[in-house]
Each structure stands twice: as C-alpha cells, then as structure tokens.
Amino acid sequence: MAEAVKTEAPVVAVVSDVPEAEKVETCAKESVVPVPEAEPVKDVVVEDAKVTATKSFKEESNVVGDLPDPCKKALDELKVLVQEALNKHEFSAPAAPAPVQAPEEKLAEASVAAPETELPVVAECKEEEKDAATPVPAPEVAMEKEVAEVVVEKESCIDEDGAKKIEAIQETIVKTEVASAAACADAAAEETPVVPEKVSIWGIPLLADDRSDVILLKFLRARDYKPKEALTMLKNVVAWRKEFDIESLLNEDLGNEQEKVVYMHGVDKEGHPVCYNAFGEYENKELCDATFSDAEKRQKFLRWRIQFLERSIRKLDFSPDGISTFVQVVDMKYSLAPFKKELRHVFQVLQDNYPEFVAKQVFINVPWWYIAFYKVINPFFTQRTKSKFVFAGPSKTTEILFKYIAPELVPVQYGGLSREGEQEFTVSDCIIEEIIKPSCEHTIELPASEACTLVWEARVVGCEVSYGAEFVPSAEDGYTLIVQKSRKITGDESLISGRFKCGEAGKVELKFYNQSSKKKKVLYRFKTIAA
C-alpha cells in the first residue's frame, strides 16, 4: 500500500493505509518549490450531511523534463547528497551509540577537550620536587617521547634559555610529524579509489538509472522538496528495511487469512492498480481473534501487510512515464475496526516507510457519524493529503466508484459487474449506459438476428426498480414469451443476469420500471452465442 504530520491523534495514521507526505504545502513559484494547484472545492454528500473536500491535484509528473526548475534543482541536490552518502557508506554504517559515562569520566573528557598545556620543564634541581611531581601522561606522538627523554636526561638544572630551546625543538618536531602524517593521509586517499556502496529500495538501485529519480521524487515530495530532510528520511527507510529484513520477508509463507480484508482488484481509469480495504471483515470474531489476540499474531499480521504491499509495489512501473502509485478504496461498512489500536501501529509503520504511494483514497459506505469525526481530524492533514480524499455514503458508493473505476472492474459487492470465477463476460466486453427517468418504464432491446443464445447482465445504480424480460419474435404471427417475471430489485448487491435460447430471429426486451422520483442509471452488456 501515506506522511501525515505526526501528532497524538491516532486516527491520522489510520486514514491513510499507504503513507502520505508528512509535511507538504503548496510551494510558491519562485522562493519555494511549486506543486500543481488543486481544482475548485466540491461538496461530497454522505447521507444527509455534507463535508467539504478538495478535488484531486493532477498527479505530478515524474519526468525530469516536465518538472519546474526549483523541483529539478531540489532533485539534483538530493542526488548529490545521496552519492556522497553512498561514497561514505552511510547507508550501511550503523549509528554509533553514545557511551554511558560516569561523572568522573565526563569530567576527564572535558579536560581532554581543553587546550593542551605545555610539557613540564624542570626549573630547579630539588629531589623533593622530583618525588612529588605529578607524572606526565604518556604522549602518543613519537617526537613527544623523544622530547621527554631529553628532559629526563638533564641531571643538572636547566636555565630559562635551555627550557625555551627544548620547547622550540618540541614544537618543530610536532609540526614536522603532523605535516608528515597529513601528507601520508592525502597520499593514501589518492591511492585508494572510492568504492560507493550499492543500495536498492523496492528493487530499484539508487542512482543507477532514471527509475531512481522516481524514488527520490517520492521522498522529496514527502518532505516538501527539502533535499536534506528527504535524505534523512531515505536513510531511515533503508535502515528500517534492513532491520525488518524485507528481502527475506518477500519469500515467507504467511497464509491467506487476510485476503478478504486487503486485496488488489483491477485498475482505475488512469491505469493505477486498485487496492480494496474491507476492514469490516474484522467484525468476524474468529478472524479478529486470529489476527489481534496476542503479540505474536499482531506481529504476523504486520509482516503479512508489509509483504502484501512490497509484492504489490514490485509490480509497479517505476519508469518516469509509468504508474508508480495506487488507488486505495477503504470500505467503512459495519466497521469501527480501522480505529482499533491494533491497526494504528501497522498504519504508522506504513506511513513512515512508504511515502507518496497513494494517487487517490476513496472512502465508501461512510457512516453519518464519520463526518463530525473527519471535521475534527481534518486540520492534521496537509493540503496534498486532503486533496486525495474522496468520501461516499452508502447511497453514493457505486456512483462514486464508477467515477474513477470502470463498472466492469468494480467488484460486484460494490455495485460493479466484476465477479470471481468463470463468467460469460470479460473486461473487454462493452458496457452501455442508459438513464431511466423518474416514474417511467424503460425498455432495453437485445437483438437476435437468427437462432442463437442471448446472454446479458445489467446493473441499476441506486436500484429500487422493477425488472422483467420477454422475448419478442420478428415474425408477425409469433408469440411473445416471458423470460423473467417482473420483480422488484433492491440493494446495490443485486446483479441482474440472464440467458435465453432464441429458436428464431427476434429480440429480448429488458423492462425497467422506476417508481421513484429520481432518475436511475442502468448499465448493461450482452452478447450472442451461435446455436
């Protein structure tokens, strides 16, 4: 399967199944990196209430040539920073933990940090002072040992001039040794070629080709086009992936108990893969207990969810003109589950480590009480995140889904025509739309030019209509046959389907009677099978 600004409000992580930008604001054209402007605000109807939401930003291009100049500059700067980090092996080097020090050690460390004092010089020949003198710490540099020996070998008193000469000798040796060490280090650096480490994320090697630009742009957008912050986030994600051992996780067998909860099904009208999240399935106590009853099961669910998302991401096209985001459909029917504590941690992990993977987030079957709740949490989301949200109450769910996803690809339980298993139709079969006027009967004719078998299926958006079917032969002396007695269709879950073997040329008439005061939309498709 978003980064929102981190707050104590737990639901911020819940709403975005796939992470959003943490702090993204619309950029000014000159001083700040610009992002495309949002379209005008619209009202989204949920039951009898309205909530103001913005339409989607047009998805930003990943083609470098299409980016505004400030965005290009930010991308170039991030690539330089990433290359430097690769050269220094900063992605694989663990952060050194700060040692725990006793107060005495801290005091000693503070004294070491102070400016170095000069080596002690004997001013007078007094045995008492020799015995009571504080021992000099063992110098690390060879020349300091040499100077110390010179001092110790002096058995007679050293006058002030002699002391100054020794200090001069010491200083000369120090400078010589330091210069020599620096020269050796420079020579070693020139002789040893820099071998950058190789780092891949979601199967894409960093800086290897233009697919890497798409990855880096995700991190830049998640951090408001601030290269240094984007690099920090990238390092954290790489470190987390190593700690979680993502590559091994991809091959684990974690079962299929969750496949009815989160699953991929078809694409939207722009080609984005669609991920459905039916958290209402956790109303099944057996499934809920098998998923969240103890820490081990919760950890298994987290691993399954990450595995599912990783496998889905590997199927995306990360080329600059490809599809590298998803459409998320979140079903809120019968469910308080998205707000359970057990799921919040999962969403927070996804949010922190999968930036900018959501093109659109569609909430369906939204209950009336969620409107008040959304108004409370709305300030916690950035404009970019809010622009991706779409809400639909139960009566508007099918209509909203059809706006973004072709009816033949919407699952049948959400009012579409897509069913599992073998069926007569495929996604390539044309779907026709017609309007049923209020308080009117509407007839759809399916022609059969010769003896054949007619197969059809239809869906009335909003339902609450009466439906019947009959066969009318072309011959004037033929008899009309009733194929389906008129019956009332209720609920978006009902898919009308039929089959009739025509013994002669004629037509099947599908009759719909709309008794309501609102117009209805009917979608249907049919085909003939030769006798």
Side-chain angles (χ1 to χ4, degrees):
M1 5 134 111
E3 310 289 322
V5 177
K6 293 184 180 178
T7 69
E8 295 301 322
V11 292
V12 174
V14 173
V15 179
S16 296
D17 186 19
V18 177
E20 299 294 336
E22 180 175 341
K23 184 181 180 183
V24 183
E25 298 178 359
T26 305
C27 305
K29 291 185 177 179
E30 298 181 0
S31 59
V32 188
V33 180
V35 295
E37 296 180 356
E39 295 179 18
V41 173
K42 67 174 182 178
D43 287 333
V44 179
V45 179
V46 183
E47 295 293 353
D48 295 328
K50 290 185 178 181
V51 60
T52 299
T54 53
K55 285 187 177 180
S56 168
F57 282 117
K58 182 179 180 181
E59 192 168 9
E60 296 161 275
S61 174
N62 290 318
V63 179
V64 175
D66 295 340
L67 298 176
D69 289 339
C71 297
K72 293 179 185 177
K73 183 178 179 181
L75 177 60
D76 291 339
E77 184 176 342
L78 178 58
K79 291 168 74 172
V80 170
L81 293 175
V82 170
Q83 186 62 68
E84 291 176 354
L86 292 173
N87 292 342
K88 297 176 181 178
H89 291 228
E90 292 179 359
F91 287 98
S92 59
V100 179
Q101 297 177 324
E104 297 82 358
E105 293 175 332
K106 293 181 180 180
L107 184 60
E109 182 176 318
S111 65
V112 171
E116 295 183 2
T117 57
E118 297 179 355
L119 288 174
V121 179
V122 180
E124 297 181 52
C125 294
K126 294 183 179 180
E127 290 295 326
E128 300 91 334
E129 292 182 336
K130 287 184 179 181
D131 296 335
T134 302
V136 178
E140 296 180 359
V141 185
M143 71 82 198
E144 292 183 351
K145 293 181 179 180
E146 186 175 332
V147 173
E149 291 174 0
V150 173
V151 174
V152 173
E153 288 177 359
K154 294 289 183 177
E155 295 180 357
S156 59
C157 295
I158 303 176
D159 58 14
E160 186 176 352
D161 293 338
K164 291 181 178 178
K165 290 180 180 179
I166 292 177
E167 291 176 10
I169 293 172
Q170 178 185 355
E171 184 177 356
T172 302
I173 295 175
V174 170
K175 290 182 178 179
T176 303
E177 291 294 330
V178 170
S180 177
C184 291
D186 292 341
E190 291 178 0
E191 293 176 0
T192 305
V194 176
V195 180
E197 63 179 322
K198 296 182 180 180
V199 176
S200 294
I201 183 168
W202 301 305
I204 309 299
L206 291 181
L207 303 185
D209 51 45
D210 55 5
R211 296 178 303 164
S212 176
D213 291 346
V214 178
I215 298 295
L216 297 184
L217 282 170
K218 289 183 181 293
F219 286 90
L220 277 172
R221 288 163 181 159
R223 289 297 179 266
D224 199 16
Y225 285 95
K226 297 176 182 177
K228 291 183 180 179
E229 294 183 14
L231 176 65
T232 299
M233 184 184 187
L234 177 59
K235 287 181 178 179
N236 290 340
V237 170
V238 171
W240 172 81
R241 293 175 67 81
K242 290 181 179 179
E243 179 183 354
F244 213 85
D245 197 5
I246 294 296
E247 298 304 319
S248 298
L249 176 64
L250 286 169
N251 300 317
E252 286 188 29
D253 182 5
L254 297 173
N256 58 3
E257 297 88 354
Q258 308 296 331
E259 288 184 351
K260 290 185 178 180
V261 181
V262 181
Y263 56 93
M264 305 297 295
H265 190 94
V267 296
D268 75 342
K269 293 180 179 180
E270 296 180 356
H272 300 94
V274 181
C275 178
Y276 290 84
N277 302 266
F279 297 116
E281 293 291 333
Y282 291 130
E283 294 295 310
N284 181 327
K285 189 176 186 304
E286 183 178 349
L287 177 61
C288 188
D289 290 344
T291 307
F292 303 117
S293 59
D294 57 49
E296 182 179 352
K297 291 175 181 177
R298 291 193 292 270
Q299 181 66 14
K300 180 182 178 182
F301 172 72
L302 173 62
R303 296 183 66 80
W304 177 87
R305 188 64 183 87
I306 293 173
Q307 182 192 70
F308 174 86
L309 182 55
E310 284 286 331
R311 289 177 175 176
S312 300
I313 288 176
R314 301 299 174 107
K315 298 176 183 178
L316 295 174
D317 181 5
F318 282 95
S319 60
D321 56 353
I323 300 294
S324 62
T325 52
F326 301 99
V327 167
Q328 291 279 340
V329 177
V330 182
D331 183 6
M332 301 182 68
K333 188 175 184 179
Y334 306 131
S335 177
L336 293 176
F339 311 106
K340 286 187 177 181
K341 180 178 67 176
E342 292 83 356
L343 285 173
R344 292 173 189 157
H345 172 63
V346 176
F347 293 137
Q348 189 64 54
V349 171
L350 299 181
Q351 186 173 281
D352 291 341
N353 297 285
Y354 296 89
E356 294 297 313
F357 274 99
V358 173
K360 180 72 64 180
Q361 186 110 328
V362 184
F363 296 87
I364 60 175
N365 292 314
V366 179
W368 63 267
W369 53 262
Y370 186 78
I371 301 307
F373 174 72
Y374 177 75
K375 289 180 179 178
V376 173
I377 66 174
N378 185 57
F380 293 105
F381 298 111
T382 64
Q383 179 62 30
R384 180 191 294 269
T385 300
K386 288 186 287 188
S387 74
K388 298 178 181 181
F389 289 170
V390 176
F391 298 92
S395 64
K396 294 288 184 179
T397 285
T398 301
E399 180 181 344
I400 292 297
L401 286 178
F402 286 174
K403 181 177 179 181
Y404 299 101
I405 306 169
E408 61 269 25
L409 294 178
V410 174
V412 65
Q413 64 267 31
Y414 296 129
L417 302 176
S418 178
R419 291 177 290 175
E420 293 182 359
E422 294 185 8
Q423 48 185 302
E424 297 287 352
F425 298 94
T426 65
V427 294
S428 60
D429 291 317
C430 178
I431 289 183
I432 304 169
E433 295 184 11
E434 294 189 18
I435 299 298
I436 307 175
K437 295 179 180 180
S439 303
C440 289
E441 184 178 78
H442 185 83
T443 300
I444 295 175
E445 296 182 354
L446 311 181
S449 57
E450 58 184 1
C452 63
T453 299
L454 265 175
V455 182
W456 67 91
E457 61 182 13
R459 197 84 194 229
V460 178
V461 180
C463 286
E464 298 178 359
V465 298
S466 295
Y467 158 75
E470 58 186 27
F471 173 73
V472 180
S474 298
E476 294 182 359
D477 57 347
Y479 293 94
T480 298
L481 301 176
I482 296 176
V483 176
Q484 171 65 58
K485 290 183 178 180
S486 182
R487 62 186 177 90
K488 192 172 183 179
I489 305 296
T490 59
D492 285 342
E493 294 79 15
S494 299
L495 176 67
I496 300 169
S497 59
R499 171 189 290 264
F500 182 74
K501 186 176 181 180
C502 306
E504 57 182 316
K507 60 184 178 182
V508 171
E509 293 183 346
L510 308 181
K511 297 183 179 293
F512 297 92
Y513 180 58
N514 179 14
Q515 296 174 321
S516 72
S517 59
K518 296 181 180 180
K519 66 180 181 180
K520 304 287 185 180
K521 179 188 292 186
V522 59
L523 305 116
Y524 69 95
R525 55 185 172 181
F526 71 98
K527 63 182 179 180
T528 59
I529 302 174

